[in-house]
Amino acid sequence: MDSLSGLAAFVQAAETSSFVAAGRQLGVSASAIGKSIARLEAKLGVRLFHRSTRQIRLTDEGTLFFERCRGILDDIEDAQNELLKSTETPRGRLKISLPAIGYRLLSKQLSAFMQAYPEVELDLDFSDRMVDVIEEGFDAVIRSGSLADSRLMARTLWPYSFMICAAPGYLHRRGQPQRPQDLLQHACLRYKFLSSSKLQDWVLRSEHDAPELRLPATLTCNNIEALLAAAINGLGLAYLPSFVAQEALADGRLRTVLDDYAISHGSFSVLWPSSRHMLPRLRVFVDFLLASLPAVSADGGPRKRARSDRGSRAQ
């Protein structure tokens, strides 16, 4: 047990880069953490950390040892959780990464989940950046797009589609486009990806012999809420996901155009590390999402509840 406590002190110090923070996490003093690691270094005959008055950082030997130790402690935790999961009440912290617009999708579900499982603490990170689920310590992420990372498992949650929208006032002033080529004469509000600064393509069914569309960019921004607001305020046409536009469409602030040409669809998935057993708190979180999502497809028809436990990448 002394050896295990030494490994725990070492792993916590490596993850936080601080004896003080490691001690706070483990409920002991920074001095106790330092002494525990010193005993470990003496036993192994190697230096695990470079120390200075301002910070600590792993040596090359420490980095190798850290990867193995973290795996060992994870396996021990998994064994304990596996033993207790049949009777354990889900509890503890869940660190979840969601897209920046995720509150539109999950605000009601998250509130209901917290009421159903009051002992589970949610640590939510709303961001569109690509995250490394394992290295950044996330229990799960919710993302859309291409999924291809063998370290992760995935379950498909819900589909969505893209649509071209504009305010009724804008369409009254500028007219309603009848075919994709008409977009060249309109104000197009374009989304710019945060990671690459590239403009999002408007995926439309092409007409026979029609030239490639080079859409104008009357306004560009990297925030989907700002794009939605610009469209509602009558500044132009916007290419929006269905879940973003649905409220404004329902109350008449927006209308769709070129419905027969907008053909892009996608889906969101929940992903988690495949190298570990699902903790009870994560299992109930995933099951709760699957059970509480509306059973409708991207176009409003019946949704096929697809299971997709496969390797995936968080975009």
Side-chain angles (χ1 to χ4, degrees):
M1 292 303 295
D2 183 62
S3 295
L4 286 177
S5 63
L7 295 183
F10 165 68
V11 168
Q12 198 67 52
E15 289 181 338
T16 60
S17 298
S18 167
F19 288 172
V20 174
R24 188 181 301 120
Q25 292 287 336
L26 297 176
V28 299
S29 67
S31 175
I33 295 291
K35 290 177 181 178
S36 179
I37 291 173
R39 288 194 297 269
L40 188 59
E41 289 176 324
K43 182 176 181 180
L44 296 172
V46 297
R47 180 175 290 275
L48 298 173
F49 287 102
H50 295 297
R51 299 166 172 82
S52 71
T53 57
R54 301 183 62 181
Q55 66 175 357
I56 62 171
R57 58 186 179 86
L58 288 168
T59 62
D60 290 342
E61 293 82 4
T63 299
L64 292 173
F65 192 57
F66 169 67
E67 294 300 329
R68 297 297 297 271
C69 287
R70 184 169 60 176
I72 291 169
L73 294 179
D74 284 347
D75 286 342
I76 292 172
E77 183 182 1
D78 285 345
Q80 293 173 332
N81 287 317
E82 190 71 13
L83 184 63
L84 297 172
K85 70 178 182 181
S86 60
T87 58
E88 181 186 20
T89 299
R91 60 170 57 89
R93 186 172 69 105
L94 275 179
K95 185 178 180 183
I96 310 292
S97 174
L98 308 95
I101 200 68
Y103 74 93
R104 279 186 173 271
L105 299 163
L106 291 172
S107 58
K108 293 181 180 179
Q109 285 86 355
L110 292 175
S111 177
F113 177 81
M114 294 183 71
Q115 292 179 32
Y117 298 96
E119 295 187 56
V120 177
E121 304 164 6
L122 293 181
D123 180 356
L124 305 178
D125 175 58
F126 290 92
S127 173
D128 288 331
R129 69 184 180 87
M130 184 180 293
V131 301
D132 189 313
V133 182
I134 296 173
E135 292 301 322
E136 297 184 47
F138 286 104
D139 294 297
V141 300
I142 295 174
R143 286 295 187 272
S144 64
S146 175
L147 310 174
D149 185 331
S150 60
R151 300 177 303 167
L152 305 179
M153 302 295 289
R155 291 289 300 273
T156 301
L157 292 178
W158 67 91
Y160 63 91
S161 60
F162 280 92
M163 50 190 64
I164 301 175
C165 306
Y170 172 85
L171 296 175
H172 180 73
R173 294 193 313 272
R174 300 288 296 272
Q176 182 164 318
Q178 302 299 316
R179 49 196 294 267
Q181 288 295 321
D182 295 342
L183 294 174
L184 300 177
Q185 310 305 318
H186 280 267
C188 294
L189 314 177
R190 307 285 301 276
Y191 180 76
K192 181 168 59 177
F193 292 105
L194 188 64
S195 59
S196 64
S197 295
K198 292 182 179 179
L199 295 180
Q200 182 183 27
D201 292 327
W202 292 18
V203 182
L204 303 173
R205 179 172 58 81
S206 60
E207 296 180 302
H208 181 66
D209 293 333
E212 181 183 355
L213 281 180
R214 296 186 179 275
L215 297 179
T218 307
L219 178 149
T220 64
C221 68
N222 60 10
N223 182 286
I224 199 71
E225 291 284 2
L227 204 65
L228 172 66
I232 291 173
N233 290 330
L235 299 185
L237 298 162
Y239 186 70
L240 298 171
S242 52
F243 62 87
V244 171
Q246 61 185 2
E247 289 184 9
L249 291 170
D251 62 24
R253 289 177 294 163
L254 288 179
R255 286 168 45 191
T256 61
V257 300
L258 299 177
D259 292 345
D260 292 337
Y261 292 92
I263 58 174
S264 182
H265 299 272
S267 64
F268 282 92
S269 300
V270 58
L271 307 98
W272 66 92
S274 62
S275 60
R276 303 184 62 185
H277 298 293
M278 286 187 76
L279 300 173
R281 58 182 178 270
L282 178 57
R283 184 175 298 279
V284 296
F285 179 76
V286 172
D287 289 345
F288 191 90
L289 290 183
L290 290 168
S292 62
L293 291 169
V296 295
S297 67
D299 58 5
R303 181 168 71 89
K304 294 180 180 179
R305 181 65 55 81
R307 175 170 181 144
S308 180
D309 289 352
R310 65 184 184 278
S312 308
R313 182 182 181 185
Q315 299 280 357

